[in-house]
Amino acid sequence: MNKKVLLIEDDIQMQKLIVEYLKDYNLDCTAVSHPKETLKILKEKNFSIIILDLMLPKMDGFDLFKQIKKICNTPIVISSARADIGNKIHGFELGADDYLAKPYEPRELVLRIEYILKKIFNNIHKISDFTIDKINKEVYLEDYPIDLTKIEYEIFLFLCENLNKVSSRQQIINATSLNEDTKNRTIDMHISNIRQKIGDDSKFPKYIKSIWGIGYKLVG
């Protein structure tokens, strides 16, 4: 299973170089050039790690960094020609996982990506009958892939991490990238979709139990 990288870089030549280089190391790299494009794709897809250039059109990289963190908690490596200590400190203060000064050798980028992913994630988790790949944000039921949306994955992961514990709808909202004003029935709809995808009968569920008046729990 490939690790998914989002490269935010407006230098098209550098984009092509990095995308092609990362392929050799089983890193599936998607490249974008514009902050607006970045925010759109992050709301639709999951990535294992983000490589962020600071000098971008229409928005400073640090401002984009803050916007990204509102959407997801994906590790971020800052890649920039702004290599002075002030920028590096600011990047780490914001929560950057690494800061790579340009120019650099692509191999160094690969090593830093691999180190961060190994350090941050315990790649594969077995929970009940499910296998969860936290790097690629994928779920398998007895080796069969389950096609979950971004929000469905976040909800299911939260239930897995709280196995056999009751989670309220508000706790689910707080633990995911759903808006704070999300209605309870929206959570119910997402749970219904997850159940359908994992073959769980809502009337006699094997995995996701409804706890009347409270919320849900994953059993196993």
Side-chain angles (χ1 to χ4, degrees), residues 4 9 14 35 65 104 115 124 153 177 208:
K4 298 179 178 65
E9 170 64 64
M14 179 166 252
F65 188 109
Y104 57 80
Y115 175 77
I124 303 296
Y153 170 83
S177 55
I208 301 177

Side-chain angles (χ1 to χ4, degrees), residues 38-63:
T38 299
L39 299 175
K40 182 177 183 296
I41 197 171
L42 283 174
K43 290 176 181 177
E44 298 171 350
K45 297 181 180 180
N46 293 312
F47 292 90
S48 310
I49 194 166
I50 296 168
I51 312 301
L52 170 64
D53 183 25
L54 292 180
M55 300 173 69
L56 297 167
K58 303 294 183 180
M59 185 185 294
D60 180 76
F62 286 133
D63 292 330

